């Protein structure tokens, strides 16, 4: 059906923690410019899969392909080098620092010449690039020099997404992006995710918010007991059916796989 | 570029670690002491004394500011100062070559041993994950004991007179001493490091959210250790300056340093919870305990009251900081 290489293909991943098999041969694909939702009950293996793809906790066995090429994602750095960025549920922002600094957290731009060797940061350039990033993503962050701890939840989310979008070359993984947000902000996050896609990135959204997943994602992958049990276009399924798939009530309905 | 609204200003004063509080306190102290001892307190000699007294404390408080930036505490400030001073003094006393070389060697020994002590604390905090208060309490005991063992509890004498004459007591225009200049240079360097370098920005980020920094690939444990080592090097430098000023090791004279250094830093606007510091505030803050001490001496009040006053000021400063934090 799909003729071009998927952007990310995960095949038969297995991860075991002690006696618990968190992933039992899980497979998943994310196409280019595709927004894929990943849903499943608690303990279905969603977080474990995210950790395997982001290199935080590499899988024990299985293969990961990035644009068809086998990839070893043994560390967060390896994953980042392949253009994969993660927006963590806690956003991983330094609340005392401003939006610009958070965008470049640990990856600051440096001044030229001797000052570069001395490790001087190029504040002006970082501010310019940050402004540009926020403008292209149509995110309005009030004041770039306000510590992000003083921003609203939605604004902080925007900073975290902008950071991922700025650094990611291929894929952004979003872990529970709206868990702590109100309905209006949740709506805005949905728009942000679509805009990120417009900029040529793919997005993998892990969420419990099923209506939102159906709303923003092109396709939904359902995990149960460490396996992908369904992969359906979001237009072809409703919340009720998703819940059934997640809980296993309709275990027979797996022909889409 | 950006215009300042009242709300911005208020936010800056309340949340950005502005040294407004410390400036206010200092001005009040200066006004009160000047009024109570006119002529005496504001004399050239006395101002020179205050500046000179502040010099060593500035170096220590700036180092304390670095430690606060990563959200830690270092109780071993005075102990490292004394220990590295003893090692430096030993070398200078034993050296029988040129005096200048001997003094330079002594300085290097003070800096290196201070940095090593800091690195030890830092390694224990970062890699063994022992809370910094406990770690540095242990290191403090270790080094205080070692200092007493090395010296038998008796201050070392016989340092080259040139050390005091050319460094400790060298004065410019009878007001600014060389140690004071050194202290301000250190403060400027550390301020620039924190404000404008990758190292400094990561130091603040580490104090703000270590996990976030780790996830973007920064070796946060090594970074924390480096911050402690840098602070330790400052204590070593302070140890050297102390030798130069007093021409002896002053083993028992630094138990109060830690209290004064943290009072200066926290009153200056650096957060005891990490992530927000201001070196300018710290330097101004140093003049609170220093001015108190000096003012009490000038007024003939028992100088032990200075400790009481400094302790009280620290509590007020921490209260204000905690209040700010809870307001967020």
């Amino acid at each position: 059906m799909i003729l071009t290489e998927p952007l990310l293909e995960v095949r038969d991943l297995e991860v075991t923690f002690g006696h618990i098999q968190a992933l039992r041969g899980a497979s998943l694909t994310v196409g280019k410019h595709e927004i894929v939702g990943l849903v499943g009950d608690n303990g279905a293996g969603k977080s474990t899969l995210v950790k395997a793809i982001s290199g935080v906790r590499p899988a024990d066995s299985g293969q990961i392909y990035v644009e068809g090429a086998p990839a070893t994602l043994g560390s967060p750095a390896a994953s980042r080098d392949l253009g994969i960025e993660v927006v963590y549920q806690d956003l991983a922002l330094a609340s005392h620092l401003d939006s610009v600094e958070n965008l470049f957290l640990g990856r600051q731009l440096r001044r030229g010449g001797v000052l570069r060797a001395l490790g001087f940061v190029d504040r002006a350039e970082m501010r310019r690039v940050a402004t540009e990033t926020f403008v292209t993503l149509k995110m309005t962050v009030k004041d770039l020099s306000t510590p992000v701890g003083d921003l609203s939840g939605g604004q902080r989310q925007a900073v975290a997404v902008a950071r991922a979008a700025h650094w990611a070359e291929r894929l952004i993984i979003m872990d529970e992006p709206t868990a702590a947000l109100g309905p209006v902000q949740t709506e805005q996050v949905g728009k942000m995710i679509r805009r990120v896609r417009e900029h040529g990135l793919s997005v993998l959204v892990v969420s419990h918010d099923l209506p939102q997943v159906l709303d923003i994602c092109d396709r939904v992958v359902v995990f149960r007991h460490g396996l992908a049990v369904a992969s359906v276009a979001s237009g072809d399924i409703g919340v009720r059916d998703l819940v059934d798939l997640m809980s296993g009530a309709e275990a027979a309905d797996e022909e889409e796989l | 570029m950006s215009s300042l609204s009242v709300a911005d200003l208020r936010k800056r004063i309340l949340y950005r670690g502005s040294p407004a509080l410390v400036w206010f306190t200092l001005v009040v102290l200066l006004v009160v002491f000047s009024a109570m001892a006119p002529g005496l307190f504001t004399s050239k000699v006395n101002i020179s004394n205050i500046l000179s007294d502040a010099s060593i404390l500035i170096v220590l408080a700036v180092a304390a500011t670095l430690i606060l930036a990563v959200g830690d505490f270092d109780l071993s400030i005075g102990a490292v100062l004394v220990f590295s001073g003893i090692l430096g003094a030993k070398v200078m006393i034993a050296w029988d070559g040129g005096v200048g070389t001997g003094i330079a060697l002594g300085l290097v020994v003070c800096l290196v041993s201070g940095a090593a002590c800091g690195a030890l604390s830092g390694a224990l905090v970062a890699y063994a994950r022992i809370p910094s208060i406990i770690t540095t309490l242990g290191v403090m005991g270790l080094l205080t004991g070692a200092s007493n063992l090395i010296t038998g509890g008796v201050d070392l004498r016989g340092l080259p007179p040139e050390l005091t004459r050319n460094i400790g007591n060298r004065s410019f225009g009878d007001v600014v001493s060389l140690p004071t200049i050194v202290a301000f240079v250190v403060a400027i360097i550390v301020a620039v490091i924190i404000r404008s370098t990758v190292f400094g920005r990561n130091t603040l980020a580490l104090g703000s959210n270590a996990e976030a920094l780790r996830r973007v690939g920064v070796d946060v444990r090594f970074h924390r250790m480096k911050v402690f080592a840098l602070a330790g090097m400052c204590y070593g430098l302070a140890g050297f300056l102390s030798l130069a000023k007093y021409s002896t090791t002053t083993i028992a004279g630094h138990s109060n340093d830690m209290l004064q250094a943290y009072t200066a830093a926290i009153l200056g606007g650096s957060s005891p919870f990490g992530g927000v510091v201001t070196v300018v505030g710290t330097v101004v803050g140093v003049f609170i305990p220093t001015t108190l001490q000096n003012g009490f001496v000038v007024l003939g009040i028992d100088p032990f009251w200075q400790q009481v006053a400094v302790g009280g000021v620290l509590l007020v400063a921490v209260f204000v900081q905690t209040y700010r934090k809870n307001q967020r």
Side-chain angles (χ1 to χ4, degrees), chain B residues 165-189:
Chain B
R165 199 191 313 137
N166 296 339
I167 298 175
N169 285 345
R170 174 174 282 190
S171 177
F172 300 88
D174 288 334
V175 179
V176 186
S177 69
L178 184 59
T180 307
I181 294 174
V182 170
F184 276 94
V185 169
V186 168
I188 291 168
I189 291 173

Side-chain angles (χ1 to χ4, degrees), chain A residues 94-256:
Chain A
S95 60
H96 301 90
L97 304 182
D98 65 25
S99 313
V100 179
E101 295 225 59
N102 272 288
L103 198 77
F104 291 95
L105 191 72
R107 293 182 271 194
Q108 296 91 343
L109 301 178
R110 295 187 183 209
R111 303 270 289 267
V114 187
L115 291 177
R116 180 185 189 82
L118 289 172
F120 275 74
V121 297
D122 193 338
R123 219 174 262 278
E125 178 66 6
M126 288 198 291
R127 197 182 168 87
R128 193 189 65 73
V129 175
T131 311
E132 209 177 84
T133 306
F134 287 122
V135 168
T136 29
L137 292 171
K138 296 198 179 77
M139 292 172 185
T140 42
V141 174
K142 265 188 307 189
D143 179 0
L144 290 181
S145 21
T146 305
V148 296
D150 293 348
L151 299 175
S152 68
Q155 297 244 302
R156 279 202 292 272
Q157 186 87 39
V159 173
V161 174
R163 174 171 64 190
H166 174 72
W167 293 101
E169 278 150 18
R170 293 191 169 106
L171 173 71
I172 295 180
I173 302 171
M174 300 189 74
D175 193 5
E176 297 290 352
T178 55
L181 298 180
V184 176
Q185 291 171 329
T186 299
E187 178 66 27
Q188 284 165 351
V189 169
K191 282 183 187 154
M192 270 194 290
I193 292 173
R194 288 196 204 93
R195 233 169 268 137
V196 164
R197 184 245 305 270
E198 283 163 26
H199 287 275
L201 296 170
S202 305
V203 186
L204 179 63
V205 184
V206 182
S207 180
H208 276 121
D209 185 343
L210 300 181
Q212 193 216 11
V213 166
L214 289 175
D215 183 37
I216 51 177
C217 298
D218 305 318
R219 190 159 54 85
V220 183
V221 175
V222 182
F223 262 46
R224 182 166 25 130
H225 301 316
L227 276 173
V229 293
S231 165
V232 270
S234 51
D236 300 346
I237 194 164
V239 170
R240 190 64 248 164
D241 297 330
L242 275 181
V243 174
D244 287 346
L245 283 168
M246 284 161 66
S247 63
E250 218 172 306
D253 189 12
E254 283 180 17
E255 76 276 359
E256 279 103 340

Side-chain angles (χ1 to χ4, degrees), chain A residues 76 80 88 90 92-97 101 105-108 110 118-121 123 145-147 149-150 163, chain B residues 1 11 15-16 192 195-199 201-202 204-205 207-209 211-213 215-218 274-276 328:
Chain A
R80 270 200 318 273
Y88 294 94
D90 66 6
L93 298 171
S95 60
H96 301 90
L97 304 182
E101 295 225 59
L105 191 72
R107 293 182 271 194
Q108 296 91 343
R110 295 187 183 209
L118 289 172
F120 275 74
V121 297
R123 219 174 262 278
S145 21
T146 305
D150 293 348
R163 174 171 64 190
Chain B
M1 278 226 317
K11 195 175 257 180
Y15 300 134
R16 298 301 300 265
V192 170
R195 190 180 276 267
S196 306
T197 69
V198 172
F199 181 86
R201 301 325 289 174
N202 281 347
L204 286 179
S208 183
N209 190 344
E211 179 60 16
L213 195 62
R215 287 188 195 151
V216 289
V218 174
V276 181
R328 297 192 80 135

Side-chain angles (χ1 to χ4, degrees), chain A residues 20-55:
Chain A
I20 300 158
Q21 249 196 317
L23 291 182
R24 303 181 298 140
S27 301
L28 169 118
T29 60
V30 179
K32 278 174 194 158
H33 314 305
E34 193 182 23
I35 303 175
V36 176
L38 177 57
V39 300
D41 208 352
N42 290 332
K46 304 186 304 285
S47 308
T48 310
L49 183 82
V50 168
K51 282 179 184 157
I53 300 172
S54 61

